[in-house]
Amino acid sequence: MECAFNVEREQWEGEKERLESKVVELREQNVEYVEQLTDLEERCKKQYSNERNNEWEAKYNACQKELTDVKIELENVREEKVLADAELDETTSELNNIQKEIEEMATELSDAQKELEEANHKAKERDKIQVGSDQATAEYKEKMT
C-alpha cells in the first residue's frame, strides 16, 4: 500500500510541480499583460493629449488666421483712411481756392457797382447840367428872337 501511496504522492508532486510551473507562467503572463496594459494606457493618454493638443492647436491656428485677417483688414482701412484724408485735404484746398475766387469776384462786383453808382451819379449831374444848359439855350434863343 505504501507503494501505491508513493505512486500517488509522486503523481501529486508532479501535479504540484506542473501547477506551480503553470502559476509561475501565469504570473509572468500577468506581468506582461500589466506592462502591455500600462503601455496601452500611456499611449492612449498620449494620443488623447495629442488629440487635445491638435484640437487646441487647430483652434489656435484658426484664431491666428482670423487675427491676421483682421490685421490685414485694419491695415487696408488705415490705407483707405489715409487716401480719404488726402482727398479731403485736396477738396478742402480746392474749396478754399474757390472761396477766394468768389470773394475776389464779390470785391470786383462791389467795386463795379460803386463805379456804376458813381457813373450814374455823374450822368445825373450831367443830365441836370444838360437840362440846365438846354433851358439856358432855350431862354437865350427866346431872348434873341
Side-chain angles (χ1 to χ4, degrees):
M1 173 116 154
E2 211 175 289
C3 198
F5 180 73
N6 282 338
V7 169
E8 198 175 314
R9 186 175 175 196
E10 285 177 12
Q11 286 176 348
W12 281 109
E13 285 179 5
E15 186 65 21
K16 180 183 171 189
E17 286 178 16
R18 188 183 69 73
L19 290 174
E20 285 176 347
S21 172
K22 185 72 172 172
V23 166
V24 168
E25 183 181 322
L26 289 173
R27 282 185 181 154
E28 288 174 358
Q29 279 184 345
N30 187 37
V31 168
E32 288 177 20
Y33 288 144
V34 168
E35 288 174 355
Q36 288 177 0
L37 181 62
T38 303
D39 183 51
L40 182 59
E41 191 177 4
E42 286 298 316
R43 284 187 295 167
C44 286
K45 283 182 183 177
K46 284 181 183 177
Q47 184 176 352
Y48 176 76
S49 176
N50 286 342
E51 287 174 2
R52 295 287 297 174
N53 286 344
N54 290 343
E55 182 181 324
W56 285 109
E57 186 175 354
K59 287 181 181 179
Y60 173 79
N61 288 341
C63 286
Q64 283 297 102
K65 184 186 180 319
E66 188 175 340
L67 179 63
T68 300
D69 291 347
V70 168
K71 285 180 180 178
I72 290 170
E73 185 64 28
L74 177 62
E75 187 59 32
N76 289 341
V77 168
R78 284 181 180 157
E79 289 174 6
E80 287 177 19
K81 183 189 176 295
V82 167
L83 293 175
D85 284 346
E87 189 175 341
L88 177 64
D89 289 346
E90 185 178 331
T91 303
T92 301
S93 176
E94 289 175 10
L95 286 174
N96 288 340
N97 290 339
I98 291 170
Q99 181 66 31
K100 286 179 186 175
E101 288 177 15
I102 289 171
E103 288 171 359
E104 289 172 1
M105 289 177 169
T107 301
E108 289 175 7
L109 180 60
S110 175
D111 291 347
Q113 283 177 333
K114 286 179 186 175
E115 287 178 17
L116 182 60
E117 286 174 4
E118 287 177 16
N120 283 338
H121 181 70
K122 287 181 182 178
K124 285 180 184 177
E125 293 284 327
R126 260 184 300 173
D127 286 346
K128 285 180 186 177
I129 292 172
Q130 186 64 42
V131 167
S133 173
D134 288 347
Q135 284 177 349
T137 305
E139 286 175 11
Y140 177 74
K141 283 185 181 178
E142 254 182 50
K143 283 184 185 179
M144 292 299 253
T145 42

